[in-house]
Amino acid sequence: MKKWIALLLTAMMMLSCLAGCGGDNNAANNNNASQGEANNSGEQNGENNATTPDDGKPEGAAEEQVVKLLYTSEISDWNPLHPSAGGTWANWIDTLVEYDNYGLCQPCLAESWTRSEDGLTWTFKVREGVRWQQYDGSFYGDEYVKAEDWVTSAKWILDPVNTARTADLLFDIVGAEDYYLALEAGQTADWETVGIKAISEYEIQYTLTEPCPWFLSRLTYNWGYPTSAKFMEEMGASFGTDNTTILYCGAFLCTEWEPQSYTLNERNPEYWDIEDIHIERIEETYNAEADVVGPELLLRGDVTSAEIPGSQIDEWMSDPAKAACIRPNRPGTYNYWFLFNFMPTYEEKTVDGYTLNHEQWLKAANNLNFRKALYYGVDRVKVIKIYDPYNAEAFVCGSITKPDFCAAGGADYIYSEPLKPYTTVDQFQPDEAVKYRDLAKAELEAAGVTLPIVAYMPYNTGGSDGDMAVVVTQQLEALLGTDFIKFIIEGYPDTDYLNNCRRSGNYSFQLCYWGPDYADPLTYTDPFRLGQAYAYLWRADGAATQVEEGTPGARKGRNGWDETWWIHHDYTDMVEEAAKEVIDMEKRYNDLAECEAWLLENAYAIPVGPIGSCGYTASYLNPFESQFAPFGLSDARYKYQWVYEDAMDSETYLEQLEVWEQERAARIAAAQEAGIDY
């Protein structure tokens, strides 16, 4: 991170004397929102770092506290128990715990919690008096949020018929996996055997199969949302189909939604923590060209925040007035890599004389030398420059796990011994790529493959991915030769892109990403394990054994996508063995790092870096006031935030980033010393 700050400070030196877009200075953006720290009993101590006048607003806050945004992707699934767009509900439904702006765990719908001495049982005292509400703010009868509502969510997710896709996140809770597998096999399952209990009206208890020090971090994902059983039954099949068929207990209500038009979110006057909700409305307008027109609309005052696309960065940097309005994007939660798909489903068509063929592609994808040719052949810097032409080198990352995600033994996980060969050495090695190409050519031709290999690469039209697809395919074709590989690229709309492409296996080679669901590197193993609609790695030659349904120990590939059954998936077995260590965190991290290194050594993934952190934003929000966590849904919430008159400039951002990092480190150290769950 320090390298990142130094490089960016150099690039932004010219901005130090420039004024902000909205006024004479950016002093207001040095303010932080009122936050608190939680002790083990969940008590919160108020703290205010901002300079505020008598009316409670920090200096420089806008008169109108309204966030105005554009969006290009329509909500395709309103069911909060599905993970399709988990951040959608982050402002509508609260979870048991939440994270403050420094990333420390705080009480939310749980006022307090306890953990048993053996680390297996977590008991949460649910906040009393929180009413379930409908989209218009009216109360849903006499229904209050109670402990049983988390039981309802878990039951629904653990029923295979609902295809919730996150059931596996509950499998380390006593009896949960057996319950799920029994239902999947059409057998009778007894919920009383599952370690999720409402032990009183306002106490929910989880009993784990083994200690999980990071359990709190898991509660902010979608399975941590409560659900009213009465409302779900009343809605039936219409539950979670639009803003009127879900219930609310969060900071905002989605009062209006017109598909392909607009979404209106209004501050919930009945919210239990209304004092920390300063924004009055979030107005979102659909615009298919939002990524292009957003910056201009921000200058006109029509939107509050806008990403600056790579094609416009030079223009903004060269204009002093515009340059003073933008700042680097805050480091995000996602890491990106290219994947080889082992279950191609795309149309076998001919484009410009090149024919897509599943059989030919699978022979190539199963060839280690072919994968290594592409692994060493991708110029990561060129890829990242599409998103950040000024600081691309700082974002290159040779690991699947995101930098600065977790540490053990005083070292960042990605620099642990098993991963050092990939994270400390440039993985773009053209000579190696050509060497492996030649080896692959000989092996593929001997196997009856007709070269070139024709690879299908879809991309999301909602941003800069089209430019990325052109750059990476042309770069690889130039390095390896079109007599070895030829790419066919095709754009798909942003709306439902993942279902249409990655999850359904509609690709050969594609840029993919993953964001952590909880604070442990195990979360980054999910895309490659049996049951994930990603690369379908278990279908690679020799990776697992396909069996008949009902075979003891067998697992289905992926509900809705791969209905075949498998056993003994090498990578999944390797990860499950590594994850057994839950006491010695250094050993656990080392063992999980060895699993990740195995993926890289076999070139199943080609890491690029945290592309989502690249680029620049113009915004009237202070990013250091927002809730923060390198996992889950915290960064989607607007709690604690203010809208300011001035946009934050890069110099202010970098100064505040360094202060924030120091303060965060100090607070974590204090929590560790005090034995506080954070």
Side-chain angles (χ1 to χ4, degrees):
M1 181 61 74
K2 293 298 182 289
K3 171 190 173 187
W4 186 84
I5 294 174
L7 286 170
L8 215 41
L9 274 170
T10 302
M12 296 299 167
M13 194 68 73
M14 66 175 184
L15 301 180
S16 60
C17 63
L18 299 175
C21 293
D24 296 330
N25 59 67
N26 292 290
N29 293 322
N30 287 309
N31 301 323
N32 288 321
S34 174
Q35 300 294 330
E37 297 178 6
N39 60 23
N40 279 331
S41 65
E43 295 176 356
Q44 197 166 16
N45 301 310
E47 179 179 334
N48 194 337
N49 298 323
T51 301
T52 58
D54 293 339
D55 63 1
K57 283 187 178 181
E59 183 181 350
E63 185 66 28
E64 185 181 51
Q65 289 298 307
V66 177
V67 171
K68 301 176 182 179
L69 304 171
L70 301 180
Y71 67 98
T72 61
S73 178
E74 194 57 80
I75 298 174
S76 59
D77 184 356
W78 285 80
N79 188 333
L81 299 180
H82 282 157
S84 302
T88 303
W89 302 276
N91 292 292
W92 302 339
I93 305 175
D94 271 359
T95 47
L96 288 167
V97 299
E98 63 184 6
Y99 285 80
D100 67 13
N101 65 325
Y102 291 104
L104 273 70
C105 191
Q106 303 290 326
C108 190
L109 287 181
E111 291 181 318
S112 62
W113 56 86
T114 59
R115 177 175 48 170
S116 61
E117 287 189 13
D118 60 10
L120 296 178
T121 302
W122 293 73
T123 305
F124 297 85
K125 174 64 173 65
V126 177
R127 188 178 302 278
E128 296 186 31
V130 177
R131 301 281 294 268
W132 278 115
Q133 294 171 263
Q134 301 189 84
Y135 73 100
D136 59 1
S138 62
F139 295 132
Y140 177 62
D142 295 325
E143 294 295 303
Y144 287 82
V145 177
K146 297 180 180 180
E148 189 65 31
D149 296 332
W150 278 273
V151 176
T152 298
S153 295
K155 273 186 178 180
W156 195 91
I157 289 172
L158 285 171
D159 189 340
V161 73
N162 296 319
T163 61
R165 301 205 309 274
T166 51
D168 58 316
L169 294 180
L170 297 170
F171 283 177
D172 62 349
I173 292 173
V174 167
E177 184 172 13
D178 289 341
Y179 179 87
Y180 179 90
L181 293 176
L183 291 179
E184 190 174 50
Q187 301 170 359
T188 301
D190 182 5
W191 180 258
E192 292 303 312
T193 64
V194 179
I196 303 175
K197 308 289 185 188
I199 59 174
S200 75
E201 195 171 36
Y202 288 99
E203 287 180 292
I204 179 70
Q205 187 175 88
Y206 297 90
T207 303
L208 310 179
T209 58
E210 59 187 13
C212 180
W214 55 94
F215 184 69
L216 288 177
S217 69
R218 295 168 50 186
L219 295 171
T220 60
Y221 201 52
N222 76 305
W223 70 267
Y225 288 135
T227 305
S228 166
K230 179 180 177 181
F231 182 78
M232 180 181 279
E233 183 178 358
E234 180 182 314
M235 289 293 101
S238 65
F239 175 74
T241 53
D242 64 18
N243 63 311
T244 71
T245 61
I246 59 174
L247 290 184
Y248 301 76
C249 63
F252 291 87
L253 305 167
C254 184
T255 56
E256 296 181 35
W257 173 59
E258 185 66 34
Q260 306 286 300
S261 183
Y262 70 93
T263 304
L264 177 62
N265 300 279
E266 299 187 67
R267 181 169 58 183
N268 180 3
E270 300 296 330
Y271 185 56
W272 66 270
D273 193 17
I274 190 66
E275 292 182 359
D276 285 321
I277 309 302
H278 313 304
I279 291 169
E280 298 167 2
R281 292 192 312 281
I282 305 168
E283 301 173 355
E284 299 178 86
T285 303
Y286 178 82
N287 189 317
E289 302 298 321
D291 298 296
V292 176
V293 303
E296 183 60 33
L297 292 179
L298 179 129
L299 294 175
R300 286 165 30 187
D302 293 337
V303 298
T304 308
S305 298
E307 297 285 323
I308 311 301
S311 59
Q312 297 184 31
I313 291 177
D314 285 342
E315 174 195 344
W316 278 67
M317 287 293 194
S318 61
D319 183 323
K322 291 181 177 179
C325 294
I326 64 175
R327 61 167 175 80
N329 287 333
R330 192 178 191 186
T333 61
Y334 292 101
N335 215 16
Y336 288 70
W337 47 75
F338 289 102
L339 288 182
F340 302 86
N341 177 27
F342 292 90
M343 192 185 76
T345 61
Y346 47 81
E347 180 184 354
E348 295 182 300
K349 57 188 176 182
T350 299
V351 179
D352 297 330
Y354 294 95
T355 301
L356 292 165
N357 181 284
H358 295 170
E359 182 181 359
Q360 297 281 294
W361 167 255
L362 285 172
K363 287 183 178 179
N366 278 294
N367 182 279
L368 176 59
N369 290 319
F370 173 82
R371 298 196 303 271
K372 286 197 170 186
L374 272 64
Y375 175 91
Y376 288 111
V378 172
D379 187 337
R380 281 78 163 168
V381 173
K382 279 189 176 180
V383 173
I384 297 175
K385 277 188 174 181
I386 297 299
Y387 306 92
D388 189 343
Y390 289 87
N391 197 38
E393 291 83 356
F395 289 97
V396 174
C397 174
S399 58
I400 292 165
T401 302
K402 178 184 175 293
D404 299 320
F405 174 63
C406 61
D412 190 321
Y413 170 80
I414 72 167
Y415 297 115
S416 56
E417 288 300 323
L419 292 175
K420 277 185 179 179
Y422 308 97
T423 56
T424 60
V425 178
D426 187 358
Q427 299 299 293
F428 173 47
Q429 300 175 28
D431 291 343
E432 287 293 289
V434 170
K435 179 186 78 174
Y436 285 114
R437 175 203 64 188
D438 292 341
L439 292 172
K441 268 187 176 182
E443 292 171 350
L444 291 172
E445 288 176 339
V449 174
T450 301
L451 297 176
I453 296 299
V454 183
Y456 184 58
M457 184 174 174
Y459 63 86
N460 190 330
T461 59
S464 300
D465 286 1
D467 294 334
M468 175 278 302
V470 171
V471 166
V472 73
T473 56
Q474 289 183 348
Q475 183 256 315
L476 283 171
E477 288 174 357
L479 175 63
L480 302 176
T482 54
D483 60 337
F484 177 69
I485 189 165
K486 181 64 183 177
F487 290 93
I488 294 174
I489 64 175
E490 187 171 5
Y492 285 77
D494 193 23
T495 298
D496 218 21
Y497 174 76
L498 292 180
N499 281 337
N500 290 330
C501 294
R502 193 205 75 208
R503 290 174 183 147
S504 58
N506 184 30
Y507 73 98
S508 301
F509 186 76
Q510 186 182 30
L511 183 67
C512 299
Y513 60 88
W514 185 260
D517 298 328
Y518 48 87
D520 185 76
L522 181 66
T523 188
Y524 277 100
T525 69
D526 285 352
F528 308 96
R529 295 164 72 180
L530 179 55
Q532 283 287 356
Y534 247 83
Y536 297 94
L537 189 57
W538 57 89
R539 299 182 71 108
D541 287 351
T545 302
Q546 186 173 357
V547 295
E548 295 296 324
E549 180 178 351
T551 301
R555 303 184 187 182
K556 185 186 287 189
R558 179 54 137 166
N559 279 328
W561 306 115
D562 178 10
E563 299 294 328
T564 55
W565 289 77
W566 303 82
I567 197 170
H568 302 317
H569 178 219
D570 291 343
Y571 178 73
T572 299
D573 293 347
M574 187 188 315
V575 167
E576 290 179 352
E577 182 63 30
K580 288 180 180 179
E581 177 58 65
V582 294
I583 304 299
D584 184 342
M585 299 308 288
E586 286 190 55
K587 182 179 186 306
R588 176 184 179 84
Y589 285 9
N590 183 81
D591 292 349
L592 288 171
E594 288 182 349
C595 297
E596 183 167 334
W598 181 86
L599 288 174
L600 300 177
E601 176 61 27
N602 286 281
Y604 284 121
I606 304 175
V608 177
I611 290 176
S613 303
C614 295
Y616 300 85
T617 292
S619 177
Y620 293 96
L621 298 169
N622 181 342
F624 303 108
E625 289 180 346
S626 69
Q627 292 180 276
F628 170 81
F631 46 79
L633 309 174
S634 295
D635 60 352
R637 307 182 80 192
Y638 284 91
K639 195 170 187 177
Y640 307 126
Q641 295 190 74
W642 294 89
V643 179
Y644 288 93
E645 293 286 353
D646 294 344
M648 179 180 282
D649 64 26
S650 294
E651 183 181 19
T652 302
Y653 171 84
L654 292 171
E655 289 172 353
Q656 290 198 30
L657 174 62
E658 191 161 13
V659 171
W660 178 86
E661 286 184 322
Q662 293 170 355
E663 181 64 18
R664 170 170 156 78
R667 292 183 179 222
I668 289 175
Q672 290 175 335
E673 184 175 353
I676 294 173
D677 295 322
Y678 69 91

